[in-house]
Amino acid sequence: MSYPTVRNTVDALRKSGKEAFIRIDYAPGDVCEFDWGEVNIYIDGTLKTFQMAAFTSAYGNYRYAHLFPKQKTECFVESHVLFFEHIGGVYRTVVYDNMKVAIKKFVGLTEKEPTDALVKLSMYYGFSFRFCNIRSGNEKGHVEKSVEYIRRKAFCHVYHFDSLDAANEHLLSVCINLNQRPQIMANHMTALEQIAAEREFLLPAMPKYESARIETSRVDKYSTISIDTCHYSVPEFYVDKIVFTKVYSTHIRCFSEGEMIAEHKRCYGNQQWSIDIGHYCQIFKRKPGALAHSVALKQADIKWQRIYTKYYIKKEKSFIDLLIFHQECPLETIEKAILTLEKLTPTDITTEKIKVICQRSEPCQEVVQTVSSAIVEKSKEHLESYGALLPCSTEKFSTEEVIA
């Protein structure tokens, strides 16, 4: 293709008419827009990437956002549950772009089939939904601008947090501040004032929707189930049985016959293991030698690791008995009992002694104080007896000295 041909084609495109846009006047409580945005922040000193779910109302430009680990279905559903609960109602229409968590497949050039999760969610809350055309972000321009705006205001200067919960608390406070700013295009009314006027036009609030993804899994030989390539432990006697699992954005819960048997923090890596040492007590009783190098001990609470290292090296069976006892006694009470034994018999701390102190009706500290008080009172009695043998004045003492 020659240079003149390219030049003429570009010139023709420049002279062609540009697309016209239509300004829309939205009714109160009618439309809300949703979109995702990527956020990079430090959690406990580690740089991590999160997905920010953002909502913006079309009428009053009210903004709400929440961080999630991934763009998973359970995160998508939970974001809507949190938003509707936050505003105390439901918008009549929610607008989405062509995201996988909302669109199951394309039917022809323009028709899209929604995911089952979106259909169930919309039926429960009673809202309708529509999708933007391909490469037409302007069709939900409110939230397109809001994602970048919220992200910049929330995490431009503050990006170190202790936990994801702390980051979400900060994000919510930023959104509240943004919603309190006067808007020039709305006669200097704030988004907070406008949503207050919108509430009477919203669909009524509903009880909290169950946002979990449901999975059924067979427990493997390691007494774990696999969810998205990650393994989570359940009590050992469920090996080879089917368990029912609720998968949330930040945690999972396992059930058998209607009873919750395990709960874990959600893992998002590849082939990660989340092991609860309490699920393997009976196996460790039969194989105590496996305890020291087990993943269960390495993932146990740091307090348990310290107790094992300080008092139970080469005493694995006794340590396992203490773990079993923990099922009926809090770890804090066990720690207090150990502190008491350190004062009484620091070189001989055993599980049996810990059990005895924990099972006493009186607090351990009071027991120690009672023993100490008895010793002090007895010592005072002895001192008073010896004091009675001494002269009561200096004169008598001098006389007795002369006589001697």
Side-chain angles (χ1 to χ4, degrees):
M1 185 178 294
S2 65
Y3 173 76
T5 302
V6 175
R7 183 190 61 191
N8 294 336
T9 302
V10 171
D11 187 53
L13 290 173
R14 285 177 177 175
K15 292 180 179 179
S16 63
K18 292 186 177 180
E19 181 182 2
F21 294 94
I22 301 173
R23 183 174 179 80
I24 298 177
D25 185 19
Y26 293 97
D30 187 23
V31 176
C32 176
E33 299 169 359
F34 173 86
D35 201 5
W36 292 104
E38 192 172 276
V39 172
N40 296 311
I41 55 176
Y42 286 89
I43 299 294
D44 197 20
T46 304
L47 181 62
K48 294 185 177 181
T49 300
F50 294 97
Q51 301 299 322
M52 184 177 71
F55 292 86
T56 305
S57 65
Y59 175 78
N61 216 31
Y62 186 87
R63 297 180 174 95
Y64 174 84
H66 194 89
L67 295 178
F68 292 93
K70 297 287 183 180
Q71 288 188 26
K72 294 283 189 178
T73 297
E74 54 272 20
C75 301
F76 173 75
V77 173
E78 185 177 340
S79 67
H80 287 69
V81 174
L82 292 173
F83 174 62
F84 294 149
E85 187 177 42
H86 172 75
I87 64 173
V90 181
Y91 279 89
R92 299 180 182 277
T93 304
V94 183
V95 183
Y96 306 96
D97 63 13
N98 300 281
M99 56 186 68
K100 291 182 179 179
V101 289
I103 295 178
K104 186 176 183 179
K105 64 180 180 179
F106 288 84
V107 183
L109 295 176
T110 58
E111 295 297 321
K112 296 128 185 174
E113 182 179 334
T115 59
D116 295 340
L118 177 55
V119 171
K120 293 177 182 178
L121 184 69
S122 64
M123 289 179 64
Y124 180 81
Y125 283 108
F127 67 87
S128 59
F129 53 85
R130 63 180 174 84
F131 302 108
C132 298
N133 291 314
I134 298 175
R135 294 184 295 277
S136 300
N138 57 286
E139 295 182 4
K140 56 178 182 61
H142 293 83
V143 77
E144 286 284 339
K145 295 179 181 178
S146 289
V147 168
E148 175 56 31
Y149 185 56
I150 295 172
R151 178 169 50 197
R152 176 162 40 86
K153 292 295 184 180
F155 303 112
C156 180
H157 299 290
V158 182
Y159 45 84
H160 285 269
F161 302 94
D162 294 332
S163 64
L164 178 58
D165 290 337
N168 273 317
E169 288 177 7
H170 168 72
L171 179 58
L172 179 59
S173 67
V174 169
C175 289
I176 291 173
N177 290 334
L178 294 178
N179 290 326
Q180 291 175 341
R181 295 183 177 183
Q183 302 179 84
I184 297 176
M185 300 296 292
N187 296 323
H188 296 280
M189 291 182 64
T190 67
L192 198 61
E193 292 172 336
Q194 296 210 73
I195 198 172
E198 275 191 283
R199 282 201 172 93
E200 64 176 298
F201 299 98
L202 296 175
L203 297 173
M206 297 288 290
K208 197 170 183 178
Y209 182 75
E210 177 58 82
S211 60
R213 186 179 95 229
I214 307 302
E215 297 280 350
T216 54
S217 308
R218 184 177 295 276
V219 182
D220 62 21
K221 64 180 181 180
Y222 295 106
S223 194
T224 65
I225 60 168
S226 179
I227 303 292
D228 298 334
T229 76
C230 294
H231 294 261
Y232 304 88
S233 68
V234 297
E236 55 202 318
F237 44 83
Y238 288 97
V239 170
D240 204 38
K241 295 182 179 179
I242 300 294
V243 298
F244 173 81
T245 307
K246 290 185 176 181
V247 183
Y248 296 88
S249 63
T250 56
H251 62 282
I252 72 162
R253 291 174 179 169
C254 304
F255 296 83
S256 178
E257 297 181 356
E259 179 183 359
M260 189 172 75
I261 60 174
E263 183 173 10
H264 291 271
K265 183 179 178 180
R266 179 82 180 273
C267 297
Y268 277 99
N270 186 35
Q271 294 296 331
Q272 293 186 352
W273 293 67
S274 178
I275 304 296
D276 183 347
I277 193 171
H279 293 159
Y280 298 89
C281 290
Q282 298 303 319
I283 294 179
F284 282 134
K285 286 191 73 172
R286 297 192 301 270
K287 304 175 182 179
L291 176 67
H293 302 288
S294 66
V295 175
L297 181 60
K298 292 179 180 179
Q299 291 192 4
D301 190 316
I302 189 66
K303 295 178 181 179
W304 279 117
Q305 295 182 35
R306 289 172 181 169
I307 291 173
Y308 172 77
T309 303
K310 191 171 183 180
Y311 307 107
Y312 285 95
I313 294 293
K314 296 184 179 179
K315 299 177 183 178
E316 282 76 13
K317 288 186 177 180
S318 296
F319 182 72
I320 295 161
D321 288 338
L322 186 62
L323 286 175
I324 295 174
F325 177 66
H326 171 53
Q327 295 174 0
E328 58 187 69
C329 182
L331 178 56
E332 291 75 15
T333 304
I334 293 174
E335 287 184 306
K336 290 180 181 179
I338 292 174
L339 290 176
T340 302
L341 287 173
E342 283 185 336
K343 297 176 182 178
L344 300 176
T345 58
T347 60
D348 187 24
I349 296 177
T350 65
T351 299
E352 292 304 319
K353 291 181 179 179
I354 294 172
K355 287 181 180 180
V356 170
I357 294 178
C358 290
Q359 291 170 347
R360 285 179 177 174
S361 58
E362 296 180 352
C364 301
Q365 187 176 359
E366 293 183 7
V367 173
V368 176
Q369 290 177 349
T370 303
V371 173
S372 302
S373 300
I375 294 173
V376 171
E377 293 300 324
K378 198 66 178 178
S379 299
K380 288 181 179 180
E381 290 180 10
H382 289 162
L383 290 173
E384 289 176 359
S385 299
Y386 286 120
L389 299 175
L390 298 175
C392 297
S393 67
T394 55
E395 293 181 2
K396 291 182 179 180
F397 184 80
S398 300
T399 306
E400 291 179 2
E401 186 179 22
V402 172
I403 295 173

